Amino acid sequence: MTGAYRIAGAGRLTPAKTARFTFDGRSYTALEGDTLASALLAHGVHLVGRSFKYHRPRGIVSAGAEEPNALVDVSRDGARRQPNVRATVQEVFDGMRASSQNRWPSLSFDVGGINNLLAPFFAAGFYYKTFMWPKQAWKHIYEPQIRKAAGLGVSPTEEDPDHYAGRYAHCDVLVAGAGLAGLTAALAAARAGARVILCDEQAEMGGALRFDTGVTVDGKTGYDWATGAIAELASMDNVTLLPRTTAFGYYEHNFLGLAERVTDHLPRPGKALPRERLWQVRAKRVVIATGAIERHMVFSNNDRPGILLASAARAYLNQYGVAVGRTVGVYTAHDSAYEAAFDLKRAGVAVAAIVDCREQPGLAVLAMARDLGIEVLTGHAVVDTAGKLRISSMSVARNGGGAPRKIAVDALLTSSGWTPSVHLFSQSRGKLVFDAETQRFLPGTYAQAAASAGACNGTDDVAALVAEAHAAGARMAAEAGFVAGEAAPASAASAFAWTGGMAGAAAGAGADTTVKAFIDFQNDVCAKDIRLAVREGMHSIEHIKRFTTNGMATDQGKLSNIHGLAIAAETLGRDIPKVGLTTFRAPYTPVTFGTLINHSRGDLFDPERRTAIHDWEAAHGAIFEDVGQWKRAWYYPRSGEDMHQAVNRECRTVRAVAGVFDASTLGKIEVVGPDAAKFLNLVYTNSWDTLKPGRCRYGIMLREDGFIYDDGVVGRIAEDRFHVTTTTGGAARVMNHMEDYLQTEFPELDVWLTSATEQWAVIAVQGPKARAIIAPLVDGIDLSNEAFPHMSVAEGTICGVPTRLFRMSFTGELGFEVNVPAEYGQSVWEAIWARAEPMGACAYGTETMHVLRAEKGYIIVGQDTDGTLTPDDAALTWAVGKKKADFVGIRGLKRPDLVAEGRKQLVGLLTRDPKEVLVEGAQIVADPNGTVPMTMIGHVTSSYWSENCGRSIALAVVAGGRAKLGQTVYIPMPGKTIAAEVSDMVFFDKEGGRLHG
């Protein structure tokens, strides 16, 4: 049996197709196409969970993504388990195991229910007042217990066995929502020839047409018309249909994130398909057709299992063939709830009464209720309900007082109207406007190329909705460059014209502040909590939200926010817009971490980059370090050597003979075009139009605030071509920095930028014998000092391979950097090594490189600079063009603070004890005997033992550093204070003669 509440002949599922599942260990049978919620309701199961704070029994409220209560743990074979799954969205599959959450030892008997009796002590904001004292208790008592209590489900401890996928897509028109408005807009755009992506979070497209029996379009039932529209769209090559796909985020420049549930509904998905897929879509135009969300009524004990939204009951009946009860009551402030009562009555379900808090509902629905023999109590309110684990009765009284009347029901449907789903519009930075007539927030000013259509735009009439949606789809296609196609459907109508609105939002909240009239079901926020927040001085809706936690549950306030806003406005005596509106943030519904990171896990979580010479380095014993995503040879220990011994040997060898170093990770950008020199003049501090082809220059790049951003050597290959090098870590951001300025600030310049970091392998040969090592291998380039002096570049061949050869050095020694196409990197390296090794040269790593450059006072951007140093602070004033009228950062450099006396400046440090090596990052003080906390005047940026100097050396930033040359500063360390003399930054070969060989 698929359930005692399944009505034969009702719904759209096939009785012959069944699936078995369990809930809390008990076995049930469902029909294929059931959601977990519809399958449980078919068996009369309404109790599905417990609330977060009070642990009150909670049942299924909705039939969609707005569900606050029915959050369950779903598992299948092995470690496939997912907590906090909305039962209203999760489709049943054969073998599913579902479990309720946030209860112990069982759902029907939960010890945590004691919190409900202690509710007076848990008033809104109690945690702000309770956990403030004593101060010492927070870390050791309060925080551990709060962390244990936090959350509803339990995170899996096993590794996720599923895989996830990602896809980028472009389209002319993206339509979010596939109800009547979305389908109409998609048809209009697709018939015009536009490339259309249509997504909808439900497994079957059609929106409310799946269960709204009163809508007709072009003489067909709404469902039949939707079926035909979907079939037409599916047959078109320019349309992509994405069911089970939620548009969860709307970002800059019409960029949207979509989460597709690919296999969550399959019993045995296998390994070929991902569990979920992240779509990152760039659309020329967007149509938002996300519909509206029905609001519940606020009254005492309105949270009992069996109390649902009226539209949900209609969906369960007409889509899934399930009656939510045998004797149903209705409490409403809107005509739409009547239609749910009518459908249930026609299906043979008893409708005890329709309670309408309004005095004058629509005449048409009153007439139909009378014809069906349903009692309607206008001007009445439900003032309370009874029942322990499921509603058993409702108490009804006339507005303003009177003796309540108790009516037996096993389900109660509520509706206080509909809230347009403006989440995506708001995420796009659109500005909402408040419609005073209908008391709703609607899309107002658009910030992006989009249009809203249908219920999300406040359009209730079906004929008007179809016309609006068709116009939106056609206009978006036209703006994307296509000619509008066929006209809108000839006719569209609904059985009833709805009336009702925000007026009923808080109508049932009542004046009694002691009752539990719930607004936010999951977080147990009541109407009285909103009023208390106002009395406590919270007058902004954002403050009220945080004080009460209203709207902070997993449904993100889809049901509760407008209620909270209306009650706050009523309590404050203000109009609703003056109270404010909470911010709608992405994601629209919860998105799993797996979907967001898709392939970026395991070895791909942080992809490892290797140079073309990596295998040779590994084979020769290199120890590697991570520099960004690159694996770089750190040092090459020989037998019996530790790191320090290996680095000391490498440092001596490079200065005495030569060293070979893999510099392939340096960023390399090709800047080409007639205006290439003009462009570099604008993004670097120094001048480039005076640089002759075949020569190089060191350059500094600043941010607009005047602080150092990156540095590197730039070689001029030809009049219109420059080879720009950057720091390893700065390659991508410098490329983006350049491209950003080229496109936004200097678009008139005729320049092309190409990242070439991976295309060139770079082999640095440094030391007295560097020329002798490479000279026999190089053709087409005269390597003599006269023809090829320091800071030169030339093109030729090495080992028969094309090369760009730079005469430059980051060690202070005679040096060459051999650039060859990456695929020849290892073979050229091996040829160079075959000459270098017999001469007594060594391969050296990044640690040796750091020591050698520090001996010469060469800085590393990002180590010796921290984003707050100017060129003058780093002793690089010589690299700033004195005659330049403009470059990025020139205005920043003129700010008073950046030219003030006493700024921190980069200097050298020599410890009083030559063997004492300072710790990088250590703070520096002027007076070691000062009071604590001491005034810090700087910090150590680089510190090493220098084998070539026979002592420790360090670089540091010190306030007024250059004025302190020869003075002593102090570095407080645990157990001792180290004295050091401020020196210049060059510790080895101060005259620089070794650079010239």
Side-chain angles (χ1 to χ4, degrees):
M1 293 291 291
T2 60
Y5 287 81
R6 188 87 65 179
I7 298 178
R12 309 189 189 281
L13 307 184
T14 303
K17 296 181 179 179
T18 62
R20 300 282 300 176
F21 72 99
T22 64
F23 179 66
D24 280 351
R26 184 174 177 181
S27 295
Y28 297 95
T29 302
L31 298 182
E32 286 189 13
D34 264 323
T35 62
L36 179 59
S38 67
L40 289 173
L41 291 173
H43 291 275
V45 178
H46 281 260
L47 175 65
V48 290
R50 294 276 177 163
S51 63
F52 173 64
K53 186 163 68 172
Y54 298 146
H55 282 246
R56 285 172 65 95
R58 288 289 158 78
I60 297 161
V61 169
S62 74
E66 67 273 23
E67 178 59 40
N69 289 343
L71 302 181
V72 298
D73 187 298
V74 173
S75 62
R76 60 174 90 219
D77 56 292
R80 288 178 168 86
R81 185 172 71 81
Q82 178 73 22
N84 295 333
V85 176
R86 290 158 292 157
T88 53
V89 174
Q90 174 65 56
E91 297 166 71
V92 171
F93 55 82
D94 196 56
M96 173 192 285
R97 298 191 299 274
S99 303
S100 57
Q101 304 178 146
N102 198 44
R103 83 290 185 277
W104 185 84
S106 69
L107 185 57
S108 58
F109 178 73
D110 179 18
V111 171
I114 189 68
N115 288 1
N116 191 42
L117 300 177
L118 301 175
F121 299 101
F122 297 150
F126 77 95
Y127 30 81
Y128 294 119
K129 302 171 183 178
T130 304
F131 302 132
M132 297 299 102
W133 58 272
K135 290 183 179 180
Q136 297 79 6
W138 170 256
K139 183 175 182 180
H140 300 290
I141 300 176
Y142 297 141
E143 185 180 22
Q145 295 306 315
I146 290 172
R147 289 191 178 278
K148 287 181 182 179
L152 293 172
V154 178
S155 297
T157 56
E158 306 87 354
E159 183 178 350
D160 187 353
D162 291 308
H163 70 280
Y164 301 79
R167 181 170 178 179
Y168 291 89
H170 293 79
C171 65
D172 299 309
V173 180
L174 183 142
V175 182
L180 177 55
L183 290 172
T184 302
L187 284 171
R191 288 169 178 168
R195 293 172 301 155
V196 175
I197 292 178
L198 174 62
C199 66
D200 191 274
E201 63 190 359
Q202 295 291 338
E204 182 181 1
M205 293 183 170
L209 297 179
R210 296 173 304 134
F211 60 81
D212 192 336
T213 56
V215 174
T216 58
V217 183
D218 273 348
K220 302 176 184 176
T221 67
Y223 182 78
D224 288 342
W225 178 87
T227 301
I230 295 166
E232 180 180 347
L233 290 167
S235 70
M236 302 172 77
D237 293 336
N238 58 324
V239 176
T240 300
L241 298 181
L242 295 176
R244 299 186 180 91
T245 304
T246 303
F248 66 81
Y250 195 152
Y251 308 96
E252 294 278 359
H253 304 296
N254 272 13
F255 185 73
L256 289 93
L258 316 180
E260 180 186 8
R261 306 184 306 278
V262 181
T263 59
D264 278 352
H265 62 292
L266 301 178
R268 287 168 291 279
K271 296 183 179 180
L273 291 174
R275 181 188 162 203
E276 296 177 353
R277 180 181 290 116
L278 174 66
W279 289 75
Q280 298 181 66
V281 180
R282 184 81 67 182
K284 290 183 179 178
R285 296 294 184 273
V286 174
V287 177
I288 303 172
T290 48
I293 298 172
E294 192 172 24
R295 297 187 304 274
H296 62 286
M297 294 291 281
V298 182
F299 54 95
S300 181
N301 292 308
N302 63 334
D303 64 326
R304 298 192 193 280
I307 303 177
L308 302 86
L309 296 173
S311 60
R314 204 174 185 201
Y316 289 125
L317 176 67
N318 296 329
Q319 174 69 13
Y320 303 104
V322 174
V324 296
R326 303 189 192 282
T327 304
V328 177
V330 178
Y331 181 30
T332 186
H334 195 273
D335 287 356
S336 62
Y338 284 74
E339 297 188 55
F342 301 159
D343 286 352
L344 286 165
K345 182 70 173 180
R346 294 188 186 105
V349 176
V351 179
I354 298 175
V355 182
D356 197 323
C357 66
R358 303 169 297 168
E359 295 290 345
Q360 294 294 331
L363 296 178
V365 293
L366 287 176
M368 180 57 71
R370 183 173 57 250
D371 292 344
L372 291 173
I374 301 174
E375 180 182 10
V376 178
L377 300 172
T378 60
H380 282 67
V382 174
V383 296
D384 204 353
T385 62
K388 185 178 180 182
L389 300 180
R390 179 175 176 178
I391 187 173
S392 60
S393 68
M394 61 179 178
S395 295
V396 180
R398 173 161 285 282
N399 293 343
R405 169 186 166 191
K406 194 170 187 178
I407 302 175
V409 294
D410 62 355
L412 175 59
L413 315 183
T414 72
S415 176
S416 65
W418 295 78
T419 302
S421 184
V422 294
H423 301 71
L424 285 183
F425 173 82
S426 295
Q427 290 173 16
S428 75
R429 295 176 296 110
K431 301 299 182 183
L432 295 170
V433 295
F434 187 73
D435 182 40
E437 182 179 352
T438 60
Q439 296 282 287
R440 297 183 293 186
F441 285 96
L442 301 174
T445 304
Y446 285 81
Q448 302 201 46
S452 297
C456 70
N457 201 38
T459 305
D460 298 324
D461 179 75
V462 172
L465 181 151
V466 169
E468 176 181 82
H470 182 273
R475 178 165 61 88
M476 292 296 99
E479 291 180 6
F482 298 87
V483 179
E486 300 178 19
S491 64
S494 181
F496 300 98
W498 290 352
T499 62
M502 182 71 80
D512 184 356
T513 59
T514 65
V515 300
K516 293 190 175 84
F518 287 91
I519 297 173
D520 187 317
F521 293 123
Q522 194 177 109
N523 279 346
D524 286 317
V525 180
C526 302
K528 63 184 177 66
D529 295 319
I530 303 295
R531 296 191 178 97
L532 174 61
V534 172
R535 290 200 304 272
E536 293 274 4
M538 311 295 163
H539 294 174
S540 162
I541 195 62
E542 290 286 4
H543 293 159
I544 293 170
K545 171 181 178 178
R546 282 153 182 79
F547 188 78
T548 63
T549 69
N550 185 56
M552 295 175 68
T554 55
D555 69 319
Q556 287 293 287
K558 292 180 178 64
L559 296 179
S560 62
N561 277 353
I562 294 300
H563 281 312
L565 177 57
I567 295 170
E570 175 190 6
T571 308
L572 287 165
R574 297 180 185 175
D575 293 334
I576 286 176
K578 293 183 179 179
V579 180
L581 185 65
T582 54
T583 303
F584 296 98
R585 296 184 177 90
Y588 173 69
T589 53
V591 179
T592 65
F593 289 126
T595 302
L596 294 176
I597 66 173
N598 51 81
H599 295 301
S600 301
R601 54 188 296 200
D603 291 339
L604 297 179
F605 178 74
D606 188 15
E608 180 181 295
R609 305 178 74 182
R610 299 181 176 184
T611 72
I613 305 163
H614 180 92
D615 290 344
W616 185 96
E617 294 171 313
H620 286 73
I623 304 298
F624 292 92
E625 68 168 336
D626 294 325
V627 181
Q629 292 180 326
W630 289 101
K631 289 289 185 183
R632 299 197 71 179
W634 193 8
Y635 60 98
Y636 293 82
R638 291 178 179 173
S639 178
E641 287 184 335
D642 61 17
M643 175 180 174
H644 297 292
Q645 292 168 330
V647 170
N648 290 340
R649 172 181 50 77
E650 291 172 11
C651 288
R652 289 193 307 269
T653 303
V654 172
R655 298 242 184 256
V657 183
V660 187
F661 175 69
D662 182 1
S664 303
T665 62
L666 285 174
K668 294 171 279 291
I669 301 171
E670 199 90 353
V671 181
V672 182
D675 295 325
K678 187 182 295 184
F679 174 70
L680 291 178
N681 276 336
L682 290 167
V683 295
Y684 280 94
T685 61
N686 36 5
S687 178
W688 300 98
D689 45 13
T690 60
L691 185 69
K692 302 298 182 184
R695 297 293 289 165
C696 305
R697 182 168 291 164
Y698 174 77
I700 291 288
M701 181 179 289
L702 306 182
R703 302 193 310 244
E704 288 186 355
D705 54 14
F707 295 128
I708 295 173
Y709 187 65
D710 202 80
D711 70 343
V713 172
V714 179
R716 191 165 193 169
I717 308 301
E719 287 290 338
D720 61 349
R721 183 179 296 272
F722 291 82
H723 181 114
V724 175
T725 65
T726 76
T727 58
T728 293
R733 59 181 170 83
V734 170
M735 179 69 185
N736 291 338
H737 179 80
M738 286 183 165
E739 192 68 63
D740 183 34
Y741 275 97
L742 182 59
Q743 292 189 28
T744 62
E745 300 297 328
F746 316 127
E748 73 281 359
L749 298 183
D750 198 3
V751 178
W752 293 268
L753 304 177
T754 305
S755 174
T757 300
E758 295 82 4
Q759 276 63 50
W760 293 102
V762 181
I763 305 163
V765 185
Q766 309 278 309
K769 294 187 179 180
R771 183 186 287 111
I773 290 171
I774 68 168
L777 306 176
V778 176
D779 289 316
I781 303 173
D782 183 350
L783 298 183
S784 67
N785 272 332
E786 296 74 22
F788 200 60
H790 180 59
M791 297 302 280
S792 295
V793 60
E795 292 187 311
T797 63
I798 183 168
C799 305
V801 174
T803 182
R804 278 185 184 170
L805 185 64
F806 287 76
R807 169 85 185 272
M808 56 183 288
S809 175
F810 197 48
T811 64
E813 299 291 332
L814 167 67
F816 299 88
E817 288 192 2
V818 180
N819 287 251
V820 295
E823 58 267 35
Y824 298 104
Q826 182 166 325
S827 60
V828 173
W829 172 282
E830 289 173 344
I832 291 173
W833 180 247
R835 286 192 51 77
E837 187 180 27
M839 294 184 185
C842 69
Y844 68 96
T846 55
E847 188 66 18
T848 295
M849 178 267 290
H850 286 172
V851 177
L852 296 173
R853 64 89 195 173
E855 290 173 352
K856 292 293 296 177
Y858 298 155
I859 70 168
I860 294 180
V861 171
Q863 178 168 328
D864 298 303
T865 68
D866 60 0
T868 66
L869 264 62
T870 68
D872 182 66
D873 299 335
L876 295 171
T877 307
W878 58 268
V880 179
K882 304 299 186 294
K883 298 180 180 179
K884 292 183 68 174
D886 192 20
F887 57 82
V888 174
I890 191 170
R891 294 165 186 79
L893 287 178
K894 297 175 181 178
R895 290 185 295 157
D897 284 353
L898 268 64
V899 295
E901 294 290 331
R903 285 187 57 80
K904 290 182 179 179
Q905 297 170 333
L906 201 59
V907 293
L909 289 182
L910 293 172
T911 55
R912 186 170 295 169
D913 178 356
K915 296 182 179 180
E916 186 82 59
V917 179
L918 297 174
V919 175
E920 291 180 352
Q923 296 294 307
I924 302 170
V925 300
D927 180 5
N929 300 313
T931 58
V932 177
M934 295 180 180
T935 299
M936 304 299 174
I937 63 171
H939 69 276
V940 178
T941 63
S942 296
S943 178
Y944 310 97
W945 170 262
S946 169
E947 189 73 3
N948 294 304
C949 295
R951 61 159 300 124
S952 67
I953 59 173
L955 301 178
V957 287
V958 176
R962 288 196 290 273
K964 290 184 170 64
L965 290 178
Q967 297 181 18
T968 300
V969 294
Y970 301 90
I971 299 89
M973 298 299 294
K976 62 180 176 178
T977 297
I978 303 171
E981 178 185 327
V982 178
S983 71
D984 64 40
M985 295 165 56
V986 182
F987 304 100
F988 184 85
D989 185 28
K990 291 182 180 290
E991 294 75 21
R994 299 174 72 95
L995 272 174
H996 305 289

